[in-house]
Amino acid sequence: WGSCNVLAIALGNTVYLWDAADGNTSELVTLDDDVGPVTSVKWAPDGRHISVGLNNSEVQLWDSTSNKLLRTLRGCHQSRVGSMDWNNHILTTGGMDGRIVNNDVRIRSHIVETYSGHHQEVCGLKWSASGQQLASGGNDNLLHIWDRSMASVNSPTQWLHRLEDHTAAVKALAWCPFQGNLLASGGGGGDKCIKFWNTHTGACLNSVDTGSQVCALLWNQNERELLSSHGFTQNQLTLWKYPSMVKMAELTGHTSRVLFMAQSPDGCTVATAAGDETLRFWNVFGSPEVAAKATRKAIPEPFANVNRIR
């Protein structure tokens, strides 16, 4: 969900754009079978440019206002690009090959740094708000914290912290909006835990067993709350009070694991995308007055034209 209030959705070989202001859906691109399917999408901070990660190891950069392909980044990865995050003009990509690459999209030789530490697919990547620290999670159950000040151009950069506490894949990552060095991470089906880290020291501050696979995490921008999305068995969303980690709400409706969550620019609405091929919208982070009432339920059918997007 980009800063210009447009939601990007990848389904198969196609990327769709849904304008939350007017409810219109448009198609950005449909790719050929030899490069697709689309394995990741990420808006640049400007809300206009969007990166599209592909199954064939390439990344395309698109201008969403003119529907133009601006450039294709090649040579970063050996196989699919499953995770991406932007840090100003740096696009960081994570691959099934375990590599993490910083790409400066302004220059021809776009690969400016590589981070080596994962030996399986990189499934989570998140830059801190300051742009100084990068968190990466892998299918190898590892969580790494990388620091920009330690970056090396000529050789793979050494991690700041290598955190081995999770016992399943680490896909869910979220930096705290009110405490710059606080990171939340979530483990997969063999782990089921949300862990909190001081990324300066590498200390684990707390670990909470959620009872199910943790697929994604989002902090409330306005209150001290954390939203987690889950898989087997309930495919639910859980809203937690921080730091007590008291459960405030459980939201059900998806019939398959809730793989992704995205927050609207105003921070109030959360879009969820699940393996059941549906998108759902929740005003779980409404203004404090609204949130106090029992309005934590799905917004009715914002996708009137959902058939076009299936």
Side-chain angles (χ1 to χ4, degrees):
W1 204 328
S3 58
C4 291
N5 208 16
V6 177
L7 188 68
I9 308 106
L11 282 172
N13 288 9
T14 304
V15 178
Y16 298 93
L17 303 178
W18 178 70
D19 190 325
D22 59 21
N24 285 334
T25 306
S26 59
E27 184 182 307
L28 178 71
V29 59
T30 294
L31 296 145
D32 295 335
D33 284 336
D34 58 339
V35 298
V38 178
T39 49
S40 48
V41 287
K42 192 73 184 183
W43 285 103
D46 63 8
R48 171 176 176 169
H49 297 97
I50 187 168
S51 55
V52 179
L54 301 175
N55 195 52
N56 76 337
S57 80
E58 296 177 356
V59 177
Q60 295 185 352
L61 301 180
W62 286 79
D63 183 331
S64 66
T65 49
S66 60
N67 269 38
K68 280 208 176 99
L69 174 62
L70 300 175
R71 70 180 295 186
T72 302
L73 306 179
R74 297 183 175 91
C76 306
H77 298 282
Q78 314 285 301
S79 51
R80 73 177 178 216
V81 181
S83 51
M84 299 188 288
D85 201 20
W86 287 88
N87 185 354
N88 294 319
H89 50 268
I90 299 289
L91 173 63
T92 304
T93 56
M96 194 176 178
D97 54 12
R99 275 166 56 96
I100 300 168
V101 177
N102 282 351
N103 299 275
D104 187 333
V105 300
R106 304 168 301 177
I107 58 177
R108 181 180 287 275
S109 301
H110 50 85
I111 299 175
V112 289
E113 283 146 29
T114 59
Y115 299 143
S116 295
H118 291 284
H119 46 83
Q120 289 186 42
E121 180 158 20
V122 179
C123 50
L125 273 183
K126 286 279 162 60
W127 279 102
S128 64
S130 67
Q132 275 307 300
Q133 291 191 326
L134 174 71
S136 68
N139 279 358
D140 49 16
N141 309 349
L142 292 174
L143 168 62
H144 286 101
I145 309 296
W146 312 86
D147 198 287
R148 275 313 293 280
S149 61
M150 296 167 65
S152 162
V153 176
N154 300 319
S155 60
T157 300
Q158 182 67 19
W159 57 78
L160 177 65
H161 300 296
R162 182 188 186 107
L163 306 167
E164 304 180 5
D165 298 32
H166 282 293
T167 55
V170 184
K171 180 178 177 298
L173 297 169
W175 290 92
C176 178
F178 52 84
Q179 193 176 325
N181 63 328
L182 176 61
L183 176 76
S185 63
D191 180 83
K192 305 184 176 74
C193 289
I194 298 172
K195 295 183 187 292
F196 297 91
W197 307 89
N198 177 334
T199 60
H200 290 342
T201 64
C204 183
L205 306 173
N206 193 11
S207 180
V208 178
D209 188 337
T210 69
S212 54
Q213 171 188 37
V214 185
C215 300
L217 291 166
L218 273 184
W219 288 93
N220 187 340
Q221 302 295 327
N222 308 310
E223 303 279 331
R224 299 199 166 205
E225 296 173 345
L226 181 72
L227 186 67
S228 55
S229 75
H230 299 271
F232 187 79
T233 58
Q234 285 181 275
N235 308 305
Q236 81 278 22
L237 308 182
T238 305
L239 184 66
W240 308 85
K241 193 78 191 153
Y242 186 83
S244 67
M245 293 305 282
V246 171
K247 270 189 203 181
M248 298 177 67
E250 289 221 323
L251 310 169
T252 53
H254 280 295
T255 58
S256 180
R257 58 185 178 153
V258 187
L259 288 163
F260 294 98
M261 295 195 290
Q263 216 163 346
S264 60
D266 66 8
C268 291
T269 307
V270 172
T272 55
D276 58 16
E277 294 184 37
T278 67
L279 283 160
R280 289 170 187 262
F281 290 77
W282 316 80
N283 68 2
V284 62
F285 291 154
S287 61
E289 306 79 45
V290 177
K293 300 170 189 166
T295 54
R296 304 187 201 278
K297 58 178 185 285
I299 300 169
E301 287 310 309
F303 277 81
N305 48 0
V306 74
N307 291 337
R308 282 176 45 202
I309 216 166
R310 286 294 281 271

